[in-house]
Amino acid sequence: MPNTTHPDAFHFDRPVASYWEATAKPLDIAIPPLSGDAQCDVAVIGAGYTGLNAALRLRRDYGVDVRVLEAGEPGWGASGRNGGFSCIGCHKRSYGSLIKSYGLDDTRRFYGAMKNAVAFVAELCRTHDIDAWIHGGGEISLAHLPNRWTELEEERDFMARLFGEKLELLTADELKAKGLWAPHFHGGIRGDVGFSIHPLNYVRGLARAAAAAGVRIHGRSRVTRWEEAGGRHRLATAGGTLSARHVVVATNGYTPEDVSPYTRGRLMPALSNIIVTRPLSEAERREQGWTSRLMAYDTRNLLHYFRLLPGGEFLFGGRGGTDASDRGAAPMKQHMIKTLQEMFPVFGKAEITHFWRGFVCLSYDLVPYVGPLDDRKTVWTALAYHGNGVAMASHSGRALADLIAGKPERADLPAVLTRRLARFPLPFLRPLYLKGAYLWFNHQDGR
């Protein structure tokens, strides 16, 4: 792993001290550790959105014998600790840049895939009766500087022309009227696609659905060794070994680089941080001017994301920090509290009840990748959702299953997602790349 990570970030034996962990429904299914020597057709590493959707599709739709190996419990990684935004946006490139690289038609297909991914999450929750606290209404991007208003106008016109999207521009006064106001916002742009979600309830619901379909999920089964012989892959854990014809790597920002060379040097884990306040009274929400439950984020490169939770708590998240050790947590928590106090002065006075961190995953090309990792097409992955994977990870896991089953027409993936998973140049310098990017983004965000 690049040294932006730290062993402290991989305490698989204990749950994350998050608001989601405190409020989620119990998992209530058996997930015994792998024991002894076992075989299957497809082994999935990682029981998050990607891995569970791949396993569920493979078992239910294709009758494949599939097992899932999870180092902790389902949702231990990013799938159970994110902000709960099911929406468009799993890349860090402008649409203009994507058009130059992939062409207009494929960029439109990519945008359509992101919209379909959001709808797919809602469909899964309905189909499997998952109580994921879904709250619709779309999302809003808020201008953190006055000069960002012009960019929002350009975005509205561009999205209408290229994708047929009708985005709504809101002035600062209109934001205030809609309960979306704080002192440093100078307007916003709202889209209808997307909804908020309880991410851990969702992933645990997927685990229940997969288990009910016949998928065997093994918790506390971290892969420590990966060997290949006789056309099969042999995955070793502390308790046993699993032999499979195909392997799905579904570990995103938590992908180890010391077990297999397939993803080595190709990923950049980056920290995202979340705090949650105590429940805020109606009076406090009115005083602040923020009474809406709409998902929101600002126009910074190192963006902040925030929303009111069903019980009146305020969730406030942000990218940043390069120290993933336990000692790096306290300074980051204080930074998040200070930023909340600056952006939302009334909410910033409230007690903070939860703070947690986790890794998002970046690729060199700044787009996700879905597809094979080897020439024989026996090792597969879907990852690099750039901090917005609730929807696209779910969609990509299902697509992986179709590819493995020899049904690429069902996956219907645009080239944006399948062209390559490139290695970073001089990958040992990734920590320096990240620190340099943070310095540049902080400079840009202040202009």
Side-chain angles (χ1 to χ4, degrees), residues 28-69:
D28 64 22
I29 60 171
I31 51 168
L34 182 67
S35 178
D37 297 326
Q39 295 189 15
C40 62
D41 293 326
V42 179
V44 176
I45 306 174
Y49 304 141
T50 302
L52 289 171
N53 270 292
L56 177 60
R57 178 81 153 188
L58 283 166
R59 182 62 187 166
R60 185 188 60 190
D61 289 24
Y62 298 113
V64 173
D65 181 14
V66 57
R67 295 196 188 210
V68 179
L69 301 177

Side-chain angles (χ1 to χ4, degrees), residues 371-428:
L373 286 169
D374 66 334
D375 293 336
R376 294 186 297 124
K377 294 187 177 180
T378 64
V379 181
W380 306 81
T381 196
L383 37 62
Y385 308 115
H386 299 88
N388 197 351
V390 174
M392 185 51 73
S394 301
H395 175 85
S396 299
R398 176 179 63 170
L400 271 183
D402 294 333
L403 295 178
I404 294 169
K407 301 290 185 181
E409 70 281 359
R410 294 189 69 183
D412 190 27
L413 293 170
V416 175
L417 297 173
T418 62
R419 179 170 293 180
R420 68 174 190 167
L421 182 62
R423 282 189 168 86
F424 282 83
L426 303 176
F428 64 92

